[in-house]
Amino acid sequence: GQTFTEFLTQCRLERARIMLKDTDFTLAYICRVLGYRSPTYFYGLFIKHHAMAPLEYRKQNRRQSGAEKSRR
């Protein structure tokens, strides 16, 4: 089983991953939208669950633009 808090954290982090990949929103904005009052807390939580910082995740998982796709 999973506690409600664990479930909520899982949902929030999934939404954070989507927003990091698909938007240019700042980390502070993403934290606020997801209900985290402290970007520092969110940052640590993200690293704990994904073994990398949020902006590193964004850099590695960013959707490619059409120009980048056409070069491959």
Side-chain angles (χ1 to χ4, degrees):
Q2 189 178 47
T3 68
F4 175 74
T5 302
E6 292 168 338
F7 173 75
L8 182 59
T9 298
Q10 181 182 351
C11 291
R12 285 174 164 174
L13 290 174
E14 173 62 26
R15 186 68 183 142
R17 288 191 305 272
I18 291 167
M19 293 175 82
L20 287 165
K21 283 191 310 186
D22 296 342
T23 73
D24 290 324
F25 295 145
T26 64
L27 190 55
Y29 178 79
I30 291 171
C31 290
R32 213 170 35 248
V33 167
L34 296 177
Y36 290 102
R37 291 182 181 181
S38 168
T40 304
Y41 176 77
F42 171 77
Y43 191 88
L45 191 64
F46 195 95
I47 290 173
K48 178 182 174 184
H49 285 265
H50 301 296
M52 70 176 70
L55 297 181
E56 183 181 353
Y57 179 88
R58 172 179 272 169
K59 186 176 179 181
Q60 289 184 13
N61 293 281
R62 178 61 96 183
R63 302 240 182 224
Q64 295 179 350
S65 70
E68 290 173 328
K69 287 180 182 176
S70 65
R71 280 189 257 159
R72 292 183 177 207

